[in-house]
């Protein structure tokens, strides 16, 4: 009995470590390839509530690890769009027609432009892969958007990501 319980714990730890390494490698690749200041995984731990669980940053002062989003801004309408596969590219938060609370939230994180792709597993919105450009506006290329979509889909299909 004790050996079985210990094996279950070890298997879970190994699974979590593999998942974290995969996510971290993907975030680093996103940050370097897109030449952005920060790449993060926003994981939903319950319906439309989540936090930044992994990040890759250009400098430590840009870290937002553990941050949660403003729950009143991310509602079922946005969630439905991301569940449908929406990828959102914002070239400049100051000119984009977005909710004021969303703009204020992005400002508080020093974000000027961002690119968001959903991570969909088993028909649900598991998380969001997000690239943050902090130094100024950024025109996202179609190749940038396709790259983020590809990374999110690859992450979603990985057996280490899918919830067991």
């Amino acid at each position: 009995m004790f050996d079985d319980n210990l094996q279950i714990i070890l298997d879970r730890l190994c699974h979590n470590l593999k998942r974290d390494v995969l996510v971290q490698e993907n975030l680093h690749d996103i940050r370097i390839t897109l030449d952005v200041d920060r790449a993060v995984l926003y994981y939903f731990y319950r319906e439309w509530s989540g936090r930044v669980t992994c990040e890759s940053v250009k400098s430590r002062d840009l870290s937002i690890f553990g941050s949660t989003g403003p729950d009143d801004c991310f509602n079922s309408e946005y969630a439905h769009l991301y569940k449908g596969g929406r990828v959102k590219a914002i070239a400049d938060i100051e000119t984009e027609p977005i909710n004021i609370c969303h703009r204020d939230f992005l400002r508080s994180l020093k974000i000027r432009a961002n690119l968001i792709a959903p991570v969909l597993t088993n028909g649900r919105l598991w998380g969001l892969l997000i690239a943050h450009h902090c130094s100024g506006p950024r025109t996202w290329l179609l190749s940038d958007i396709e790259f983020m979509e590809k990374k999110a889909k690859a992450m979603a299909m990985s057996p280490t990501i899918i919830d067991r």
Side-chain angles (χ1 to χ4, degrees):
M1 176 83 173
F2 177 74
D3 288 336
D4 290 343
N5 288 336
L6 183 58
Q7 188 61 50
I8 290 169
I9 291 169
L10 288 174
D11 288 347
R12 185 169 290 158
L13 286 171
C14 184
H15 170 80
N16 290 345
L17 181 60
K18 286 179 184 176
R19 181 196 61 218
D20 292 350
V21 167
L22 174 74
V23 170
Q24 201 61 49
E25 287 172 349
N26 275 286
L27 292 176
H28 179 76
D29 190 31
I30 289 167
R31 187 176 60 78
I32 298 301
T33 302
L34 297 180
D35 191 25
V36 293
D37 300 302
R38 178 172 50 220
V40 302
L41 173 68
Y42 187 84
Y43 169 72
F44 292 103
Y45 51 83
R46 69 173 184 258
E47 190 169 273
W48 323 146
S49 295
R51 75 180 36 211
V52 174
T53 57
C54 292
E55 69 180 357
S56 176
V57 294
K58 201 174 260 189
S59 66
R60 278 193 218 185
D61 64 319
L62 292 174
S63 176
I64 59 170
F65 181 77
S67 296
T68 58
D71 293 335
D72 53 335
C73 286
F74 193 88
N75 56 35
S76 60
E77 179 186 339
Y78 285 122
H80 181 71
L81 292 170
Y82 286 115
K83 277 181 78 172
R86 167 196 184 183
V87 175
K88 180 71 173 171
I90 297 177
D92 187 349
I93 68 159
E94 299 303 332
T95 59
E96 185 77 12
I98 56 177
N99 188 306
I100 299 226
C101 72
H102 189 197
R103 187 181 329 277
D104 290 343
F105 175 69
L106 295 175
R107 282 180 186 147
S108 76
L109 299 178
K110 302 176 185 171
I111 298 165
R112 188 65 189 265
N114 67 4
L115 178 57
I116 304 168
V119 179
L120 303 166
T121 62
N122 298 322
R124 72 180 189 96
L125 182 57
W126 185 85
L128 299 170
L129 270 182
I130 310 169
H132 291 155
H133 194 70
C134 302
S135 56
R138 160 98 181 239
T139 300
W140 300 102
L141 304 174
L142 180 58
S143 60
D144 298 336
I145 294 166
E146 290 170 345
F147 176 76
M148 282 291 278
E149 283 180 306
K150 181 180 169 189
K151 284 292 187 182
K153 286 177 183 174
M155 191 176 290
M157 290 194 292
S158 169
T160 59
I161 293 294
I162 298 171
D163 295 333
R164 298 186 189 259

